[in-house]
Amino acid sequence: MNVGSADGEDDAVIAAINTTPLVDVMLVMLIIFLITIPVVTTSIPVTLPKERVEIRETKPENIIISVDKAGSVFWYDQKVANVEALVDKLKKVSTVKPQPEVQIRGDLASRYEGVGKILYACQRAGIVKVAFITEPPALGG
């Protein structure tokens, strides 16, 4: 501690910066961040989906239902008149053992309503296995 000179001269200018309060504040902030960051990142436990490319084998018993841009529903290559006709076809298929998988191909520009109708028809018919056919993402992006 600098009290002053012993010979009684005027106070000398002290040109030193006291960094102790700065270091104390920085250490307190570091401790606060170290405590709060793990709580923020793991507050709700969820399982996040992983992107993967799964090569699927097309089996002859799989049913492929497509939806085009206009929302028309196709059973393989045949247009289905309405949802009730689709449900009737799916009910016939749902009795087969083992039950085949229904694969839905939806056009990128189609509305969700068309795909939703197919999902609802599968649910009404008792179909258990439903899959979506998509294109893999482009390489490098």
Side-chain angles (χ1 to χ4, degrees):
M1 189 159 105
N2 192 1
V3 178
S5 60
D7 54 350
E9 295 179 10
D10 290 336
D11 292 335
V13 177
I14 301 174
I17 297 174
N18 190 0
T19 58
T20 305
L22 177 66
V23 171
D24 288 344
V25 169
M26 294 302 292
L27 287 175
V28 168
M29 288 178 63
L30 178 67
I31 291 170
I32 289 172
F33 287 138
L34 288 175
I35 290 172
T36 58
I37 287 176
V39 173
V40 171
T41 58
T42 59
S43 61
I44 300 172
V46 294
T47 304
L48 298 176
K50 307 288 188 276
E51 181 179 340
R52 66 175 189 221
V53 176
E54 182 179 319
I55 299 173
R56 302 187 66 93
E57 293 181 20
T58 303
K59 299 177 185 173
E61 61 265 10
N62 289 346
I63 289 129
I64 298 174
I65 301 175
S66 303
V67 180
D68 64 359
K69 291 179 186 178
S72 301
V73 178
F74 294 88
W75 179 280
Y76 293 105
D77 293 330
Q78 287 183 323
K79 186 173 181 177
V80 179
N82 55 21
V83 177
E84 293 304 320
L86 180 63
V87 172
D88 291 339
K89 284 186 172 191
L90 288 172
K91 281 184 181 178
K92 291 176 187 172
V93 170
S94 67
T95 59
V96 176
K97 300 292 181 194
Q99 194 178 71
E101 182 178 88
V102 173
Q103 297 178 345
I104 301 173
R105 297 177 63 234
D107 192 289
L108 181 65
S110 68
R111 295 182 48 148
Y112 178 74
E113 181 181 5
V115 176
K117 286 179 183 178
I118 296 173
L119 289 172
Y120 184 59
C122 290
Q123 181 184 14
R124 286 177 51 196
I127 299 291
V128 179
K129 300 177 197 170
V130 178
F132 292 94
I133 297 177
T134 60
E135 291 182 359
L139 295 176

Short mmCIF file of all heavy atoms in Angstrom, two decimals, residues 26-78:
data_model
loop_
_atom_site.label_atom_id
_atom_site.label_comp_id
_atom_site.label_asym_id
_atom_site.label_seq_id
_atom_site.Cartn_x
_atom_site.Cartn_y
_atom_site.Cartn_z
N MET A 26 -14.38 -11.33 -14.24
CA MET A 26 -14.25 -12.33 -15.31
C MET A 26 -14.34 -13.75 -14.76
O MET A 26 -14.97 -14.63 -15.37
CB MET A 26 -12.94 -12.14 -16.07
CG MET A 26 -12.87 -10.84 -16.85
SD MET A 26 -14.19 -10.68 -18.05
CE MET A 26 -13.74 -11.93 -19.19
N LEU A 27 -13.76 -14.03 -13.62
CA LEU A 27 -13.84 -15.37 -13.03
C LEU A 27 -15.27 -15.70 -12.60
O LEU A 27 -15.74 -16.82 -12.79
CB LEU A 27 -12.87 -15.48 -11.85
CG LEU A 27 -11.39 -15.56 -12.23
CD1 LEU A 27 -10.53 -15.54 -10.98
CD2 LEU A 27 -11.11 -16.81 -13.04
N VAL A 28 -15.96 -14.72 -12.05
CA VAL A 28 -17.36 -14.96 -11.66
C VAL A 28 -18.20 -15.24 -12.90
O VAL A 28 -19.04 -16.16 -12.91
CB VAL A 28 -17.90 -13.74 -10.87
CG1 VAL A 28 -19.42 -13.84 -10.71
CG2 VAL A 28 -17.24 -13.66 -9.52
N MET A 29 -18.01 -14.48 -13.98
CA MET A 29 -18.77 -14.72 -15.21
C MET A 29 -18.45 -16.09 -15.80
O MET A 29 -19.34 -16.80 -16.28
CB MET A 29 -18.48 -13.61 -16.22
CG MET A 29 -19.12 -12.28 -15.83
SD MET A 29 -18.73 -10.96 -16.98
CE MET A 29 -19.47 -11.53 -18.46
N LEU A 30 -17.18 -16.49 -15.77
CA LEU A 30 -16.79 -17.80 -16.27
C LEU A 30 -17.48 -18.91 -15.48
O LEU A 30 -18.00 -19.87 -16.06
CB LEU A 30 -15.26 -17.95 -16.20
CG LEU A 30 -14.70 -19.29 -16.65
CD1 LEU A 30 -14.93 -19.47 -18.14
CD2 LEU A 30 -13.23 -19.40 -16.31
N ILE A 31 -17.53 -18.79 -14.18
CA ILE A 31 -18.19 -19.80 -13.36
C ILE A 31 -19.69 -19.84 -13.66
O ILE A 31 -20.28 -20.91 -13.78
CB ILE A 31 -17.93 -19.51 -11.86
CG1 ILE A 31 -16.46 -19.77 -11.54
CG2 ILE A 31 -18.83 -20.37 -10.97
CD1 ILE A 31 -16.03 -19.30 -10.19
N ILE A 32 -20.31 -18.69 -13.83
CA ILE A 32 -21.75 -18.65 -14.15
C ILE A 32 -22.01 -19.33 -15.50
O ILE A 32 -22.93 -20.15 -15.63
CB ILE A 32 -22.26 -17.19 -14.16
CG1 ILE A 32 -22.29 -16.66 -12.73
CG2 ILE A 32 -23.64 -17.12 -14.79
CD1 ILE A 32 -22.59 -15.19 -12.64
N PHE A 33 -21.19 -19.05 -16.51
CA PHE A 33 -21.38 -19.68 -17.81
C PHE A 33 -21.14 -21.18 -17.75
O PHE A 33 -21.86 -21.96 -18.38
CB PHE A 33 -20.47 -19.05 -18.86
CG PHE A 33 -20.91 -17.68 -19.29
CD1 PHE A 33 -19.98 -16.67 -19.47
CD2 PHE A 33 -22.24 -17.39 -19.51
CE1 PHE A 33 -20.38 -15.41 -19.85
CE2 PHE A 33 -22.65 -16.13 -19.90
CZ PHE A 33 -21.72 -15.13 -20.07
N LEU A 34 -20.15 -21.61 -17.00
CA LEU A 34 -19.88 -23.05 -16.89
C LEU A 34 -21.02 -23.79 -16.20
O LEU A 34 -21.28 -24.95 -16.50
CB LEU A 34 -18.57 -23.29 -16.14
CG LEU A 34 -17.29 -22.93 -16.90
CD1 LEU A 34 -16.08 -23.10 -15.99
CD2 LEU A 34 -17.14 -23.79 -18.13
N ILE A 35 -21.71 -23.13 -15.32
CA ILE A 35 -22.82 -23.77 -14.62
C ILE A 35 -24.09 -23.76 -15.48
O ILE A 35 -24.82 -24.74 -15.52
CB ILE A 35 -23.08 -23.06 -13.27
CG1 ILE A 35 -21.92 -23.35 -12.32
CG2 ILE A 35 -24.39 -23.53 -12.64
CD1 ILE A 35 -21.96 -22.55 -11.04
N THR A 36 -24.36 -22.67 -16.20
CA THR A 36 -25.64 -22.56 -16.91
C THR A 36 -25.65 -23.20 -18.29
O THR A 36 -26.71 -23.62 -18.75
CB THR A 36 -26.04 -21.08 -17.07
OG1 THR A 36 -25.01 -20.39 -17.77
CG2 THR A 36 -26.30 -20.44 -15.73
N ILE A 37 -24.55 -23.32 -18.98
CA ILE A 37 -24.55 -23.87 -20.34
C ILE A 37 -25.02 -25.33 -20.38
O ILE A 37 -25.87 -25.67 -21.20
CB ILE A 37 -23.19 -23.68 -21.02
CG1 ILE A 37 -23.02 -22.21 -21.38
CG2 ILE A 37 -23.05 -24.55 -22.25
CD1 ILE A 37 -21.68 -21.87 -21.97
N PRO A 38 -24.55 -26.23 -19.51
CA PRO A 38 -25.09 -27.60 -19.57
C PRO A 38 -26.58 -27.68 -19.27
O PRO A 38 -27.27 -28.52 -19.83
CB PRO A 38 -24.28 -28.35 -18.51
CG PRO A 38 -23.05 -27.56 -18.33
CD PRO A 38 -23.42 -26.14 -18.59
N VAL A 39 -27.10 -26.82 -18.46
CA VAL A 39 -28.52 -26.82 -18.15
C VAL A 39 -29.33 -26.39 -19.37
O VAL A 39 -30.37 -26.96 -19.68
CB VAL A 39 -28.82 -25.89 -16.94
CG1 VAL A 39 -30.31 -25.76 -16.72
CG2 VAL A 39 -28.13 -26.41 -15.71
N VAL A 40 -28.84 -25.41 -20.11
CA VAL A 40 -29.56 -24.90 -21.28
C VAL A 40 -29.56 -25.93 -22.40
O VAL A 40 -30.57 -26.13 -23.07
CB VAL A 40 -28.93 -23.58 -21.74
CG1 VAL A 40 -29.50 -23.15 -23.07
CG2 VAL A 40 -29.13 -22.50 -20.71
N THR A 41 -28.46 -26.62 -22.62
CA THR A 41 -28.38 -27.53 -23.76
C THR A 41 -29.08 -28.86 -23.52
O THR A 41 -29.41 -29.55 -24.47
CB THR A 41 -26.91 -27.79 -24.14
OG1 THR A 41 -26.24 -28.34 -23.01
CG2 THR A 41 -26.24 -26.52 -24.59
N THR A 42 -29.31 -29.26 -22.30
CA THR A 42 -29.93 -30.56 -22.04
C THR A 42 -31.17 -30.42 -21.16
O THR A 42 -31.44 -31.26 -20.34
CB THR A 42 -28.93 -31.51 -21.36
OG1 THR A 42 -28.50 -30.91 -20.13
CG2 THR A 42 -27.75 -31.78 -22.24
N SER A 43 -31.94 -29.37 -21.35
CA SER A 43 -33.09 -29.17 -20.48
C SER A 43 -34.24 -30.11 -20.82
O SER A 43 -34.95 -30.55 -19.94
CB SER A 43 -33.54 -27.72 -20.54
OG SER A 43 -33.92 -27.40 -21.86
N ILE A 44 -34.44 -30.44 -22.09
CA ILE A 44 -35.52 -31.34 -22.50
C ILE A 44 -34.89 -32.53 -23.23
O ILE A 44 -34.27 -32.37 -24.28
CB ILE A 44 -36.51 -30.62 -23.44
CG1 ILE A 44 -37.13 -29.43 -22.70
CG2 ILE A 44 -37.59 -31.57 -23.92
CD1 ILE A 44 -37.96 -28.55 -23.58
N PRO A 45 -35.05 -33.72 -22.71
CA PRO A 45 -34.46 -34.89 -23.38
C PRO A 45 -35.28 -35.30 -24.60
O PRO A 45 -36.44 -35.68 -24.48
CB PRO A 45 -34.48 -35.97 -22.31
CG PRO A 45 -35.60 -35.57 -21.39
CD PRO A 45 -35.67 -34.07 -21.45
N VAL A 46 -34.71 -35.18 -25.78
CA VAL A 46 -35.36 -35.61 -27.01
C VAL A 46 -34.37 -36.42 -27.83
O VAL A 46 -33.17 -36.24 -27.74
CB VAL A 46 -35.87 -34.42 -27.85
CG1 VAL A 46 -36.97 -33.68 -27.15
CG2 VAL A 46 -34.76 -33.48 -28.18
N THR A 47 -34.91 -37.31 -28.64
CA THR A 47 -34.09 -38.07 -29.56
C THR A 47 -34.22 -37.43 -30.93
O THR A 47 -35.30 -37.43 -31.52
CB THR A 47 -34.56 -39.53 -29.62
OG1 THR A 47 -34.54 -40.06 -28.30
CG2 THR A 47 -33.66 -40.36 -30.51
N LEU A 48 -33.15 -36.86 -31.42
CA LEU A 48 -33.18 -36.15 -32.68
C LEU A 48 -33.01 -37.13 -33.84
O LEU A 48 -32.26 -38.10 -33.72
CB LEU A 48 -32.07 -35.10 -32.72
CG LEU A 48 -32.19 -34.01 -31.65
CD1 LEU A 48 -30.99 -33.10 -31.71
CD2 LEU A 48 -33.46 -33.23 -31.84
N PRO A 49 -33.69 -36.90 -34.95
CA PRO A 49 -33.56 -37.81 -36.10
C PRO A 49 -32.19 -37.68 -36.74
O PRO A 49 -31.61 -36.60 -36.80
CB PRO A 49 -34.66 -37.35 -37.06
CG PRO A 49 -34.92 -35.95 -36.68
CD PRO A 49 -34.64 -35.83 -35.20
N LYS A 50 -31.70 -38.79 -37.20
CA LYS A 50 -30.42 -38.82 -37.91
C LYS A 50 -30.71 -39.00 -39.39
O LYS A 50 -31.55 -39.81 -39.77
CB LYS A 50 -29.57 -39.99 -37.43
CG LYS A 50 -29.37 -40.05 -35.93
CD LYS A 50 -28.45 -38.97 -35.45
CE LYS A 50 -28.11 -39.12 -34.00
NZ LYS A 50 -29.02 -38.61 -33.05
N GLU A 51 -30.03 -38.25 -40.23
CA GLU A 51 -30.22 -38.39 -41.68
C GLU A 51 -29.43 -39.59 -42.14
O GLU A 51 -28.25 -39.74 -41.81
CB GLU A 51 -29.74 -37.15 -42.42
CG GLU A 51 -29.93 -37.24 -43.90
CD GLU A 51 -29.48 -36.00 -44.61
OE1 GLU A 51 -29.36 -34.96 -43.99
OE2 GLU A 51 -29.22 -36.11 -45.82
N ARG A 52 -30.06 -40.44 -42.87
CA ARG A 52 -29.39 -41.62 -43.39
C ARG A 52 -30.03 -42.01 -44.71
O ARG A 52 -31.19 -41.73 -44.96
CB ARG A 52 -29.44 -42.77 -42.41
CG ARG A 52 -30.85 -43.28 -42.19
CD ARG A 52 -30.85 -44.50 -41.30
NE ARG A 52 -32.20 -45.04 -41.33
CZ ARG A 52 -32.83 -45.50 -40.30
NH1 ARG A 52 -32.26 -45.53 -39.16
NH2 ARG A 52 -34.04 -45.98 -40.42
N VAL A 53 -29.26 -42.66 -45.49
CA VAL A 53 -29.76 -43.17 -46.76
C VAL A 53 -29.92 -44.67 -46.59
O VAL A 53 -28.95 -45.39 -46.38
CB VAL A 53 -28.79 -42.83 -47.91
CG1 VAL A 53 -29.29 -43.45 -49.20
CG2 VAL A 53 -28.62 -41.34 -48.05
N GLU A 54 -31.15 -45.11 -46.65
CA GLU A 54 -31.44 -46.52 -46.48
C GLU A 54 -31.83 -47.09 -47.82
O GLU A 54 -32.79 -46.64 -48.45
CB GLU A 54 -32.58 -46.67 -45.47
CG GLU A 54 -32.94 -48.10 -45.19
CD GLU A 54 -34.06 -48.19 -44.17
OE1 GLU A 54 -34.04 -47.42 -43.20
OE2 GLU A 54 -34.95 -49.03 -44.37
N ILE A 55 -31.09 -48.06 -48.27
CA ILE A 55 -31.39 -48.71 -49.54
C ILE A 55 -32.51 -49.72 -49.30
O ILE A 55 -32.38 -50.63 -48.49
CB ILE A 55 -30.15 -49.38 -50.13
CG1 ILE A 55 -29.08 -48.33 -50.38
CG2 ILE A 55 -30.49 -50.14 -51.40
CD1 ILE A 55 -27.75 -48.89 -50.80
N ARG A 56 -33.61 -49.49 -49.97
CA ARG A 56 -34.77 -50.36 -49.79
C ARG A 56 -34.90 -51.28 -50.98
O ARG A 56 -34.74 -50.86 -52.11
CB ARG A 56 -36.03 -49.52 -49.64
CG ARG A 56 -35.97 -48.56 -48.48
CD ARG A 56 -37.30 -47.90 -48.29
NE ARG A 56 -38.30 -48.85 -47.87
CZ ARG A 56 -38.61 -49.10 -46.60
NH1 ARG A 56 -37.96 -48.49 -45.66
NH2 ARG A 56 -39.55 -49.96 -46.30
N GLU A 57 -35.19 -52.51 -50.68
CA GLU A 57 -35.44 -53.46 -51.75
C GLU A 57 -36.93 -53.39 -52.11
O GLU A 57 -37.78 -53.42 -51.24
CB GLU A 57 -35.09 -54.87 -51.29
CG GLU A 57 -33.62 -55.09 -51.05
CD GLU A 57 -33.32 -56.51 -50.62
OE1 GLU A 57 -34.15 -57.40 -50.86
OE2 GLU A 57 -32.27 -56.72 -50.04
N THR A 58 -37.19 -53.29 -53.38
CA THR A 58 -38.58 -53.28 -53.82
C THR A 58 -39.04 -54.72 -53.91
O THR A 58 -38.53 -55.51 -54.71
CB THR A 58 -38.70 -52.59 -55.19
OG1 THR A 58 -38.17 -51.28 -55.06
CG2 THR A 58 -40.13 -52.51 -55.63
N LYS A 59 -39.99 -55.05 -53.09
CA LYS A 59 -40.54 -56.40 -53.08
C LYS A 59 -41.82 -56.38 -53.90
O LYS A 59 -42.53 -55.38 -53.95
CB LYS A 59 -40.83 -56.82 -51.65
CG LYS A 59 -39.60 -56.86 -50.78
CD LYS A 59 -39.95 -57.21 -49.36
CE LYS A 59 -38.73 -57.13 -48.47
NZ LYS A 59 -39.06 -57.31 -47.07
N PRO A 60 -42.14 -57.47 -54.55
CA PRO A 60 -43.35 -57.48 -55.38
C PRO A 60 -44.63 -57.29 -54.57
O PRO A 60 -45.63 -56.81 -55.09
CB PRO A 60 -43.32 -58.84 -56.06
CG PRO A 60 -42.26 -59.62 -55.40
CD PRO A 60 -41.38 -58.69 -54.64
N GLU A 61 -44.61 -57.63 -53.29
CA GLU A 61 -45.83 -57.47 -52.50
C GLU A 61 -46.04 -56.06 -51.97
O GLU A 61 -47.11 -55.73 -51.45
CB GLU A 61 -45.84 -58.47 -51.32
CG GLU A 61 -44.70 -58.29 -50.35
CD GLU A 61 -43.52 -59.19 -50.64
OE1 GLU A 61 -43.47 -59.83 -51.69
OE2 GLU A 61 -42.61 -59.23 -49.80
N ASN A 62 -45.03 -55.19 -52.07
CA ASN A 62 -45.19 -53.80 -51.64
C ASN A 62 -46.18 -53.07 -52.55
O ASN A 62 -46.19 -53.27 -53.76
CB ASN A 62 -43.86 -53.06 -51.66
CG ASN A 62 -42.93 -53.52 -50.56
OD1 ASN A 62 -43.33 -54.21 -49.63
ND2 ASN A 62 -41.68 -53.15 -50.66
N ILE A 63 -46.97 -52.21 -51.94
CA ILE A 63 -47.94 -51.42 -52.70
C ILE A 63 -47.41 -50.01 -52.80
O ILE A 63 -47.05 -49.40 -51.79
CB ILE A 63 -49.31 -51.45 -52.02
CG1 ILE A 63 -49.89 -52.84 -52.18
CG2 ILE A 63 -50.25 -50.45 -52.63
CD1 ILE A 63 -50.35 -53.46 -50.98
N ILE A 64 -47.35 -49.47 -54.00
CA ILE A 64 -46.86 -48.12 -54.21
C ILE A 64 -48.03 -47.23 -54.59
O ILE A 64 -48.70 -47.46 -55.60
CB ILE A 64 -45.77 -48.09 -55.31
CG1 ILE A 64 -44.59 -48.94 -54.86
CG2 ILE A 64 -45.34 -46.67 -55.58
CD1 ILE A 64 -43.52 -49.11 -55.90
N ILE A 65 -48.26 -46.21 -53.77
CA ILE A 65 -49.33 -45.24 -54.01
C ILE A 65 -48.66 -43.89 -54.24
O ILE A 65 -47.81 -43.47 -53.46
CB ILE A 65 -50.31 -45.18 -52.83
CG1 ILE A 65 -50.92 -46.56 -52.59
CG2 ILE A 65 -51.39 -44.15 -53.08
CD1 ILE A 65 -51.80 -46.65 -51.37
N SER A 66 -49.03 -43.23 -55.32
CA SER A 66 -48.41 -41.96 -55.69
C SER A 66 -49.42 -40.83 -55.65
O SER A 66 -50.61 -41.03 -55.86
CB SER A 66 -47.82 -42.05 -57.10
OG SER A 66 -46.91 -43.12 -57.19
N VAL A 67 -48.90 -39.62 -55.38
CA VAL A 67 -49.70 -38.40 -55.42
C VAL A 67 -48.98 -37.43 -56.35
O VAL A 67 -47.80 -37.15 -56.15
CB VAL A 67 -49.85 -37.77 -54.02
CG1 VAL A 67 -50.67 -36.51 -54.09
CG2 VAL A 67 -50.45 -38.74 -53.05
N ASP A 68 -49.69 -36.93 -57.38
CA ASP A 68 -49.05 -35.99 -58.30
C ASP A 68 -49.27 -34.55 -57.83
O ASP A 68 -49.85 -34.30 -56.77
CB ASP A 68 -49.53 -36.21 -59.73
CG ASP A 68 -51.01 -35.92 -59.91
OD1 ASP A 68 -51.68 -35.57 -58.93
OD2 ASP A 68 -51.49 -36.04 -61.06
N LYS A 69 -48.82 -33.60 -58.63
CA LYS A 69 -48.92 -32.18 -58.27
C LYS A 69 -50.36 -31.73 -58.06
O LYS A 69 -50.63 -30.90 -57.21
CB LYS A 69 -48.29 -31.31 -59.36
CG LYS A 69 -46.81 -31.44 -59.47
CD LYS A 69 -46.30 -30.55 -60.59
CE LYS A 69 -44.82 -30.77 -60.80
NZ LYS A 69 -44.30 -29.95 -61.90
N ALA A 70 -51.27 -32.28 -58.84
CA ALA A 70 -52.68 -31.89 -58.75
C ALA A 70 -53.40 -32.52 -57.57
O ALA A 70 -54.53 -32.17 -57.28
CB ALA A 70 -53.40 -32.24 -60.05
N GLY A 71 -52.75 -33.48 -56.90
CA GLY A 71 -53.39 -34.14 -55.77
C GLY A 71 -54.10 -35.43 -56.13
O GLY A 71 -54.79 -36.01 -55.30
N SER A 72 -53.94 -35.89 -57.38
CA SER A 72 -54.56 -37.15 -57.80
C SER A 72 -53.79 -38.32 -57.20
O SER A 72 -52.57 -38.30 -57.11
CB SER A 72 -54.55 -37.26 -59.32
OG SER A 72 -55.25 -36.19 -59.89
N VAL A 73 -54.54 -39.34 -56.79
CA VAL A 73 -53.95 -40.51 -56.15
C VAL A 73 -53.90 -41.65 -57.16
O VAL A 73 -54.86 -41.90 -57.87
CB VAL A 73 -54.78 -40.91 -54.90
CG1 VAL A 73 -54.22 -42.15 -54.25
CG2 VAL A 73 -54.84 -39.76 -53.91
N PHE A 74 -52.75 -42.35 -57.20
CA PHE A 74 -52.55 -43.45 -58.14
C PHE A 74 -52.14 -44.70 -57.39
O PHE A 74 -51.25 -44.66 -56.53
CB PHE A 74 -51.45 -43.09 -59.16
CG PHE A 74 -51.82 -41.95 -60.07
CD1 PHE A 74 -51.57 -40.64 -59.70
CD2 PHE A 74 -52.43 -42.20 -61.29
CE1 PHE A 74 -51.91 -39.60 -60.53
CE2 PHE A 74 -52.77 -41.16 -62.13
CZ PHE A 74 -52.52 -39.85 -61.75
N TRP A 75 -52.78 -45.82 -57.72
CA TRP A 75 -52.42 -47.14 -57.20
C TRP A 75 -51.53 -47.75 -58.27
O TRP A 75 -52.01 -48.10 -59.34
CB TRP A 75 -53.70 -47.96 -56.99
CG TRP A 75 -53.51 -49.34 -56.48
CD1 TRP A 75 -53.16 -50.42 -57.19
CD2 TRP A 75 -53.67 -49.76 -55.13
NE1 TRP A 75 -53.10 -51.52 -56.39
CE2 TRP A 75 -53.42 -51.14 -55.12
CE3 TRP A 75 -54.01 -49.13 -53.95
CZ2 TRP A 75 -53.49 -51.89 -53.93
CZ3 TRP A 75 -54.10 -49.87 -52.80
CH2 TRP A 75 -53.83 -51.24 -52.79
N TYR A 76 -50.26 -47.85 -58.01
CA TYR A 76 -49.25 -48.14 -59.02
C TYR A 76 -49.39 -47.13 -60.16
O TYR A 76 -49.03 -45.98 -60.00
CB TYR A 76 -49.34 -49.59 -59.52
CG TYR A 76 -48.97 -50.60 -58.45
CD1 TYR A 76 -49.94 -51.34 -57.81
CD2 TYR A 76 -47.64 -50.78 -58.08
CE1 TYR A 76 -49.61 -52.26 -56.82
CE2 TYR A 76 -47.31 -51.70 -57.09
CZ TYR A 76 -48.29 -52.43 -56.46
OH TYR A 76 -47.96 -53.33 -55.49
N ASP A 77 -49.96 -47.52 -61.32
CA ASP A 77 -50.12 -46.58 -62.43
C ASP A 77 -51.57 -46.25 -62.72
O ASP A 77 -51.86 -45.48 -63.62
CB ASP A 77 -49.47 -47.16 -63.70
CG ASP A 77 -47.96 -47.25 -63.57
OD1 ASP A 77 -47.39 -46.42 -62.83
OD2 ASP A 77 -47.36 -48.15 -64.17
N GLN A 78 -52.50 -46.82 -61.95
CA GLN A 78 -53.92 -46.58 -62.17
C GLN A 78 -54.43 -45.49 -61.24
O GLN A 78 -54.16 -45.52 -60.04
CB GLN A 78 -54.74 -47.84 -61.90
CG GLN A 78 -54.59 -48.91 -62.94
CD GLN A 78 -55.50 -50.07 -62.60
OE1 GLN A 78 -55.68 -50.42 -61.45
NE2 GLN A 78 -56.10 -50.66 -63.64
#
